[in-house]
Amino acid sequence: MNSESCPLKTQPACRCQTCSSQTDPGGFCRHLTQCQLETLKTRSRWSSLLRGETIKSEDLLIWPIIAISTGVLSFQQLLEDGRKIIAALFMRGDIIDMRGLANRHHGHLIALGKTEICRLSPRTFEAAIDDNIDARKVAWSSLRRQGNRAMDHGADLAKKQALEKLASFVFECRHRLPDSVSDSKVHIPVRRLDLADYLGMQPETVSRGFKELQARGIIGIEGISNIEILDFPRLRRIANGDKHTENLRQTHENHFQAATGS
Amino acid sequence: MNSESCPLKTQPACRCQTCSSQTDPGGFCRHLTQCQLETLKTRSRWSSLLRGETIKSEDLLIWPIIAISTGVLSFQQLLEDGRKIIAALFMRGDIIDMRGLANRHHGHLIALGKTEICRLSPRTFEAAIDDNIDARKVAWSSLRRQGNRAMDHGADLAKKQALEKLASFVFECRHRLPDSVSDSKVHIPVRRLDLADYLGMQPETVSRGFKELQARGIIGIEGISNIEILDFPRLRRIANGDKHTENLRQTHENHFQAATGS
DNA sequence: CGGCAAGTTGAGCCAGGTCAACTCCGGTGG
DNA sequence: CCACCGGAGTTGACCTGGCTCAACTTGCCG
């Protein structure tokens, strides 16, 4: 990836006006008092990352709390032999607490596209959490959502097959980044390559999977990063792993139908 | 599974003296004041679960906060076609917050053996969290550890192969349930069948995997649920996915070694 | 209009899933 | 105390979904 070693260009958090943590209904900063916000603002750091840029461990030691305004940040691990794993995706509105994880071999935070983040002053964040029940609840539920998402994602990875993982991912995107224009259009905010690493499969398989869903008339593909859900219930059934009714290859149809008939 | 429909036998939380949440150094209840503990005690419910018993959704609605004293609780999903997935394991000391997850299709909490839990009064729990900074920090870090664990587990599931997942799981057990007697002995607190569901593989593959590790002299197997780590570094390397040096089948050895020589 | 990375397509192969048979073991009742 | 039973675990044989490798196309950026 590019420019991993170049230091982050940072500036005091002056973008609060347009930051989603401030503008979105469930955003963290929106729940702070004016005074708390001012303090947090002056002590936090705004940065903009490009695709492939890594937040360095030494930065994470000082700034372990990160709020994502726009874009996608990945938490990835590199196996000794080069296999890459994206263990989690963080998007708009997520608050990441990396305290204690920075120095370990756990993984790295890497941007998957242009990403705008605000690195919150941990001390001020902690103080706000202590004083402000609303802010505390927002942070707590963000953390809990991350955990639940990780568990759901683990479930996807554990026993689902390629098509089912893809279907599941489409719903995850739809849920996390609701499209303001149309209910059935879904924006895929990551490249195929990264998607493969996130879903534990090969880019080739991702490609074939989307093509298969398209061939069955379940989704429409519009460019590389936008799809349209054409058959909602069938996609839902595939995502839920309902093999008997939906998740069968055309070529095996007769075989499986015979089996279900018994 | 047995007696899923039988109502939980409960009693007021009178076991605090011996509960790990009270006796263990990092336990939640240990950080409460005497007064808070008394209140929580009278409003919470102790129960003991046997293998296969499910905590019902309606119970979770009223008692969504659960502290595990001993045993193992699994969070599992059932795919439409019968595939079972264990998305997470909860053990001694974990505090589970199921608020908002009870009624959904997310999953069920099922005991994997004799498990003793304390269902905390959510209101009192919340009050303790609000008043007591120490207790808040313990709960927060427990939640965060669950999330991190779920991400690590997801990483295992995504790209690791059978042997690597098993090695990784051995370390997870060692880390979560340290053996007081010996550093190299590890207790596996779940059956092979459940382990398979947790690691996203088949029981047959689990069996073959352990046998392979034993054949290579990396672990020793003592009974069904205890193993001994004989070669720590090699097990570590396998868990970390270091194919080049360790994770090769005997039969493929020459092939892979030729490849690394290039 | 090149140059390069991302994405796609095709052919072949293998790790692990599947199925069936067998052993092991704890619990139960005669 | 032993015979029996059922579920868990293991072993072997076979099969397949998705990985691998290689070639090709597409799309982005200067």
Side-chain angles (χ1 to χ4, degrees), chain B:
Chain B
M1 299 293 168
N2 47 357
S3 59
E4 295 201 16
S5 57
C6 116
L8 283 177
K9 291 171 195 72
T10 64
Q11 44 193 307
C14 52
R15 308 290 184 84
C16 295
Q17 307 302 331
T18 57
C19 174
S20 66
S21 185
Q22 177 76 218
T23 60
D24 285 0
F28 176 76
C29 294
R30 169 175 278 230
H31 292 84
L32 299 176
T33 64
Q34 193 61 38
C35 165
Q36 287 169 335
L37 185 60
E38 280 304 321
T39 315
L40 190 58
K41 198 169 174 174
T42 56
R43 299 199 185 155
S44 301
R45 293 293 177 271
W46 178 270
S47 358
S48 185
L49 304 173
L50 297 177
R51 163 145 93 204
E53 278 185 310
T54 305
I55 301 181
K56 284 183 298 181
S57 297
E58 52 265 42
D59 283 335
L60 278 182
L61 277 177
I62 311 174
W63 305 97
I65 316 279
I66 295 175
I68 308 216
S69 177
T70 63
V72 181
L73 214 54
S74 70
F75 181 65
Q76 54 187 56
Q77 287 175 236
L78 215 51
L79 261 43
E80 313 258 351
D81 69 343
R83 277 171 286 173
K84 191 170 73 176
I85 295 167
I86 294 184
L89 295 178
F90 299 106
M91 305 184 191
R92 163 187 275 251
D94 285 332
I95 293 177
I96 312 174
D97 179 351
M98 297 284 287
R99 283 176 292 189
L101 264 73
N103 44 358
R104 299 216 194 134
H105 63 99
H106 265 98
H108 303 273
L109 287 176
I110 303 183
L112 297 186
K114 187 167 191 306
T115 305
E116 311 209 288
I117 62 173
C118 185
R119 292 178 293 162
L120 307 179
S121 151
R123 204 171 297 271
T124 317
F125 173 76
E126 195 66 34
I129 291 283
D130 283 342
D131 296 344
N132 188 324
I133 292 190
D134 283 346
R136 173 156 75 237
K137 288 197 190 310
V138 169
W140 177 273
S141 81
S142 169
L143 188 63
R144 221 155 61 78
R145 228 178 307 122
Q146 284 172 37
N148 294 337
R149 215 148 33 208
M151 289 196 298
D152 284 350
H153 182 230
D156 285 354
L157 294 170
K159 295 247 174 156
K160 289 187 183 175
Q161 36 197 141
L163 274 193
E164 299 167 339
K165 290 185 198 177
L166 282 179
S168 213
F169 181 74
V170 170
F171 283 112
E172 182 180 341
C173 287
R174 198 180 104 93
H175 190 242
R176 292 177 78 171
L177 302 167
D179 189 301
S180 48
V181 182
S182 158
D183 214 39
S184 66
K185 309 247 182 193
V186 179
H187 176 67
I188 307 289
V190 299
R191 300 174 309 167
R192 296 277 188 274
L193 222 53
D194 298 319
L195 183 48
D197 288 332
Y198 181 59
L199 296 180
M201 38 206 267
Q202 252 34 53
E204 293 93 328
T205 313
V206 173
S207 180
R208 284 186 252 262
F210 276 131
K211 205 184 151 202
E212 171 83 17
L213 288 175
Q214 187 183 28
R216 292 196 203 170
I218 297 172
I219 63 170
I221 297 182
E222 303 164 355
I224 196 69
S225 57
N226 286 288
I227 68 163
E228 180 172 11
I229 303 178
L230 300 176
D231 189 336
F232 209 93
R234 284 178 73 195
L235 191 64
R236 182 81 267 171
R237 276 201 295 275
I238 291 179
N240 288 350
D242 194 347
K243 267 190 187 167
H244 292 305
T245 61
E246 283 302 331
N247 186 28
L248 34 82
R249 300 259 165 167
Q250 308 297 9
T251 51
H252 295 167
E253 206 155 28
N254 298 329
H255 172 66
F256 275 112
Q257 283 187 343
T260 58
S262 67

Side-chain angles (χ1 to χ4, degrees), chain A residues 90-116:
Chain A
F90 299 105
M91 303 183 192
R92 165 186 272 252
D94 286 332
I95 293 177
I96 312 174
D97 179 350
M98 297 284 286
R99 282 176 292 189
L101 265 73
N103 44 0
R104 300 217 195 135
H105 63 100
H106 265 99
H108 303 272
L109 287 177
I110 302 182
L112 297 185
K114 188 170 189 306
T115 306
E116 310 208 289

Side-chain angles (χ1 to χ4, degrees), chain A residues 42-59:
Chain A
T42 56
R43 299 199 186 157
S44 299
R45 292 294 176 273
W46 177 271
S47 2
S48 184
L49 304 173
L50 297 177
R51 163 145 91 206
E53 277 185 310
T54 305
I55 302 183
K56 284 182 299 180
S57 298
E58 51 266 40
D59 283 335

